[in-house]
Amino acid sequence: MKKRIAVLVSLISLILSAQAFAHFQLIYTPDAALENGGKIPLALVFTHPFDAGHTMDMGTPEQFFVLQTRGENPVKKMDLLDTLVPVSWQSLTNSGKAFKTDYTARGGDHIFCLVPDPYFEAEEDSYIQQMTKMIINVGGIPGAWMEPAGLPAEIVPLSKPYDRWTGNVFQGKVLYNGQPVPGAEIEIEYLNHEPLIDRNAFARKPAVKAPQSSFELQTIFADDNGIFTFGIPKAGWWGFAALGLDEDATHKGKPCSKDAVIWIKAVDM
Ligand SMILES: [Cu+2]
C-alpha cells in the first residue's frame, strides 16, 4: 500500500512538473480576421491551453494596450488597462483570476499587447512574466502587424498572423529589448478547448486528442537570427511562447522568466 502511494505521489509530481513548463498567457477573442468592425470580446487568461488545465491567478497587469494601425496613418496607442473587468475563469480542474473586456474594432490591424504582473511559481521559487501579443484585422485593410510593438520581450510576426490557411507556415522573430534572440526556445500549444467567453470557462470537449504528452506542448528553436518557422497542422488558435529570454532577470529578488508569447489563428482552405 505504501509503495502504491509512493508511486502515486511521484506520478502526480511528474504530472505537475510537466504542467509547470506549459504556462501560456492567453489573449483571446473568437476571430482574428473580421469582415466588419464592431464590438468584440477579449479574455485574458493565464492557463495551460492544450488540456484547459490548471489556470493561474493573474494579478492586475502592468500594461494592456492596443496599437491601432491603418494604412499609412500614424499608429494610435490606446490604453485598455482601465477597461479590464476581473472574472473567475473555470478550467477543467480549477478556477483562476482572469480579466475580460469589450473592444470596438474598426478597419485595419489591432495589435493587442499585454505585460502581465509577474506570476509567482511557488514550486520553482521564481516568477514568470509572459509579454503577450494578439493581432486582429478588420475588413482586410492593411495595418502594421509586422512592426515591433516595443514590448521588453516580444515575438514579431514575419507572416501575417491572421491570414494563415491550415498547412501554411508561421514565421516569427524573437526579440528581447529590441534585439533578436539567437536560438530562443519556443514552446507551442494549440488552444484545444474552446473558450466559452460568456461563461468564463473552457469547453470540456477537446478538439483533438494527443497520442502522447509530447504532442501537447511542441518545442522548436529559433535560428541564429532569432527567427522560427512552424507548419500549422490544424485550424484554430496557436500559441507560441519564447521562454527565459533574459537569464539574469529578477523580480522581488527572485529569478523571473521573461517570456514572449504570440497567438495566431489559422483557418481551413
Ligand atoms: Cu504551467
Side-chain angles (χ1 to χ4, degrees):
M1 190 64 189
K2 252 188 192 160
K3 198 175 167 192
R4 237 190 246 174
I5 288 170
V7 168
L8 199 68
V9 166
S10 61
L11 253 173
I12 288 168
S13 61
L14 240 173
I15 290 164
L16 285 176
S17 62
Q19 273 210 343
F21 291 100
H23 300 61
F24 268 81
Q25 177 64 55
L26 181 59
I27 305 177
Y28 177 77
T29 191
D31 289 304
L34 301 156
E35 195 62 56
N36 299 303
K39 207 159 89 166
I40 61 163
L42 293 167
L44 312 181
V45 186
F46 191 33
T47 190
H48 298 85
F50 191 88
D51 57 3
H54 188 77
T55 292
M56 284 69 68
D57 286 333
M58 286 182 68
T60 302
E62 289 181 6
Q63 300 179 48
F64 182 51
F65 61 91
V66 62
L67 300 175
Q68 300 171 329
T69 75
R70 181 186 175 113
E72 298 300 308
N73 293 353
V75 175
K76 206 174 126 195
K77 182 176 175 176
M78 186 192 275
D79 192 7
L80 300 175
L81 201 54
D82 290 342
T83 72
L84 292 177
V85 177
V87 295
S88 175
W89 190 275
Q90 193 68 41
S91 79
L92 265 52
T93 59
N94 77 327
S95 64
K97 289 179 188 155
F99 292 94
K100 284 208 312 198
T101 189
D102 285 320
Y103 173 74
T104 304
R106 311 219 184 277
D109 284 349
H110 301 256
I111 305 165
F112 297 98
C113 299
L114 173 65
V115 180
D117 186 34
Y119 172 80
F120 184 64
E121 176 65 73
E123 226 173 281
E124 288 166 33
D125 197 30
S126 62
Y127 286 86
I128 302 168
Q129 189 178 34
Q130 297 200 326
M131 275 53 91
T132 303
K133 279 165 69 178
M134 188 272 284
I135 300 164
I136 65 159
N137 176 269
V138 179
I141 295 165
W145 56 265
M146 72 298 278
E147 299 292 339
L151 294 174
E154 86 174 275
I155 293 173
V156 178
L158 299 179
S159 322
K160 201 184 267 186
Y162 49 81
D163 78 352
R164 300 290 92 187
W165 297 109
T166 311
N168 278 159
V169 298
F170 174 71
Q171 283 194 304
K173 189 172 193 172
V174 181
L175 299 183
Y176 188 71
N177 287 334
Q179 298 303 310
V181 183
E185 182 177 1
I186 295 140
E187 292 187 336
I188 302 158
E189 272 199 38
Y190 183 60
L191 186 57
N192 194 26
H193 292 257
E194 188 194 349
L196 307 171
I197 214 159
D198 291 336
R199 285 199 244 158
N200 302 335
F202 291 113
R204 295 206 73 83
K205 194 172 176 287
V208 293
K209 202 172 175 306
Q212 193 249 35
S213 61
S214 305
F215 294 86
E216 298 181 6
L217 180 73
Q218 296 181 277
T219 303
I220 58 175
F221 287 88
D223 68 11
D224 293 347
N225 300 309
I227 292 169
F228 67 87
T229 305
F230 178 73
I232 308 161
K234 188 170 174 65
W237 284 100
W238 289 86
F240 301 81
L243 304 174
L245 300 180
D246 182 355
E247 284 179 6
D248 302 323
T250 57
H251 180 74
K252 293 182 178 167
K254 294 186 191 290
C256 182
S257 183
K258 299 279 185 179
D259 306 345
V261 173
I262 193 166
W263 285 91
I264 68 151
K265 188 178 183 182
V267 300
D268 286 333
M269 192 160 200

